[in-house]
Amino acid sequence: MAISPAEVAHRAASDAERVAWVDDHDQPLGALPRAELRERGLIGRCTFILLFNSAGDLCVHRRTLSKALYPGYWDVAAGGMVGHEESYADSAARELEEELGVSGVALRFHEKFYFDQPGNRLWCAVFSAVWDGALRLQPEEVSEARFIPVEQAELESASRPYCPDSLAALQRYKASQG
């Protein structure tokens, strides 16, 4: 599958975007281009929005091949890096609308946690929302999406590439729900 010129341009703009740079206690240190933050192994802020329908199914989507991290992987959450001087909540609302075309929904905050893997060090805020409308996918970031039972997503993650950071967010969400 080829990467489109629009995806290439989007990736370049994304890599240059200035995002929040924080320390290991989530205290702000400033802003850096996303690519520099990643290359230097520094810590950023990120949001994960678990989108459910009213039947309780979870929206999973496949990332485009142009993504810097986890290209072509399945993802259990919309979301992304928090912009400089942007709140976690504002970032969550923006990312949900950009990636899946969902806006005007109540976002429920669950918790923050630290995720640390080589090339992906993040303070993460987990949100959830319910949506029964149509999805409008951002073609530069999302190649396909579907609602499936949470258990099916967990089973698939054993045999298909799923993003480890969003799976961690899902596990934290499930633990908080009892």
Side-chain angles (χ1 to χ4, degrees):
M1 182 180 269
I3 297 173
S4 73
E7 285 180 68
V8 171
H10 182 77
R11 165 73 188 277
S14 178
D15 281 348
E17 179 185 10
R18 294 179 65 79
V19 296
W21 169 32
V22 297
D23 66 15
D24 57 355
H25 299 288
D26 196 23
Q27 297 304 304
L29 297 173
L32 290 171
R34 179 193 309 246
E36 182 180 345
L37 188 85
R38 192 174 51 247
E39 289 162 6
R40 292 176 54 194
L42 302 174
I43 304 169
R45 285 180 171 165
C46 185
T47 55
F48 292 100
I49 308 94
L50 302 164
L51 184 64
F52 297 93
N53 62 22
S54 58
D57 292 334
L58 176 64
C59 180
V60 299
H61 67 273
R62 190 159 190 193
R63 297 163 62 89
T64 59
L65 296 175
S66 63
K67 298 294 284 182
L69 288 175
Y70 316 124
Y73 280 43
W74 286 92
D75 208 335
V76 297
M81 300 298 290
V82 176
H84 179 57
E85 297 185 355
E86 184 178 40
S87 70
Y88 281 111
D90 288 344
S91 174
R94 175 182 54 78
E95 290 285 353
L96 186 60
E97 183 171 8
E98 284 177 4
E99 291 183 8
L100 300 177
V102 174
S103 63
V105 296
L107 288 172
R108 183 173 167 216
F109 172 75
H110 296 281
E111 70 171 297
K112 288 190 327 183
F113 71 97
Y114 182 63
F115 183 83
D116 188 359
Q117 284 191 343
N120 194 18
R121 300 177 68 207
L122 305 168
W123 269 100
C124 310
V126 182
F127 295 83
S128 65
V130 176
W131 177 258
D132 286 317
L135 299 176
R136 192 179 71 251
L137 307 182
Q138 181 181 28
E140 298 83 10
E141 292 197 26
V142 180
S143 61
E144 61 183 293
R146 59 199 165 103
F147 283 91
I148 60 175
V150 172
E151 299 77 21
Q152 182 180 341
E154 291 173 319
L155 285 171
E156 285 183 6
S157 73
S159 60
R160 286 183 164 177
Y162 267 76
C163 298
D165 50 5
S166 67
L167 285 174
L170 177 60
Q171 293 311 311
R172 302 289 292 237
Y173 167 82
K174 285 181 57 181
S176 74
Q177 301 303 297

